[in-house]
Amino acid sequence: MTTRDIVFVAVGAVTALSALLSVTTKHVVHAALWLLVSLGSLAGAYLVLGQELVGLVQLLVYVGAIVVLVLFALMLTRAPIGPHAEIDTPRWQRAAGALLGAATTVLLASLLLPLLSGATADLDAPSATTPRIAQAVFGTWVWPFELLSVLLLVALVGAFAVSRLVLDREDPAAASRRGEGARR
């Protein structure tokens, strides 16, 4: 077992453990932070495998954008930080979800492990796929990616505007105070 194998197993264990903690914690913000750790360590796994471009895209897109968007949405919706009895799922639903997740894992493993049993990868051989992927992403597909970034920005501004409208409707005391100040 080489050093690269040991590092890959360690990064994979951190990824799996943080993903498990992300879906099992009852604190919403903690779940988002565990998701951040999981996606960041997955980028580390890509780096260990020699796919630097995929690892950097993982960091930029998922860690840098999606997790920040999730945290921003949590702040906009004023989601409860800790566990609450009103929104907590019953124990039987959590057990059923765990059972279905385990069944899905067993099904996927039974299908994929025979296919991958003889597969090997030479990580020391130079890979020519990164320049081709970079040329496609930053050459051919640069405008669709830029259009998508503008669309995400518009969605973020729209979410902020909608949250401001909902806040104004929910607080009649603040609206009456503004009306009294205008009459004076």
Side-chain angles (χ1 to χ4, degrees):
M1 194 168 213
T2 65
T3 306
R4 182 181 285 169
D5 295 336
I6 293 169
V7 171
F8 182 74
V9 168
V11 170
V14 169
T15 303
L17 182 64
S18 58
L20 183 66
L21 287 171
S22 176
V23 297
T24 58
T25 186
K26 291 188 178 188
H27 296 271
V28 177
V29 176
H30 292 174
L33 293 175
W34 281 119
L35 178 66
L36 176 80
V37 171
S38 177
L39 294 174
S41 58
L42 184 62
Y46 289 138
L47 291 176
V48 170
L49 290 174
Q51 297 298 320
E52 296 85 12
L53 181 67
V54 178
L56 291 174
V57 167
Q58 172 81 16
L59 279 177
L60 289 173
V61 173
Y62 288 105
V63 175
I66 301 300
V67 172
V68 171
L69 189 65
V70 166
L71 287 172
F72 192 69
L74 287 173
M75 287 184 244
L76 276 177
T77 58
R78 297 179 185 198
I81 300 297
H84 288 285
E86 306 94 41
I87 59 174
D88 196 18
T89 57
R91 190 175 298 272
W92 68 269
Q93 284 183 351
R94 286 184 286 189
L99 183 67
L100 287 173
T104 304
T105 302
V106 168
L107 179 66
L108 284 174
S110 68
L111 290 174
L112 294 179
L113 286 179
L115 294 175
L116 301 175
S117 61
T120 60
D122 186 15
L123 297 177
D124 295 325
S127 175
T129 59
T130 301
R132 287 188 295 183
I133 292 172
Q135 178 62 35
V137 169
F138 298 115
T140 307
W141 295 100
V142 71
W143 290 113
F145 278 116
E146 290 300 320
L147 184 64
L148 182 63
S149 68
V150 170
L151 181 68
L152 287 173
L153 180 65
V154 167
L156 190 63
V157 170
F160 182 72
V162 166
S163 72
R164 298 293 296 174
L165 290 173
V166 171
L167 287 177
D168 286 344
R169 288 185 188 154
E170 287 180 356
D171 192 7
S176 66
R177 283 192 300 261
R178 282 194 302 264
E180 290 173 9
R183 283 183 248 153
R184 289 182 186 169

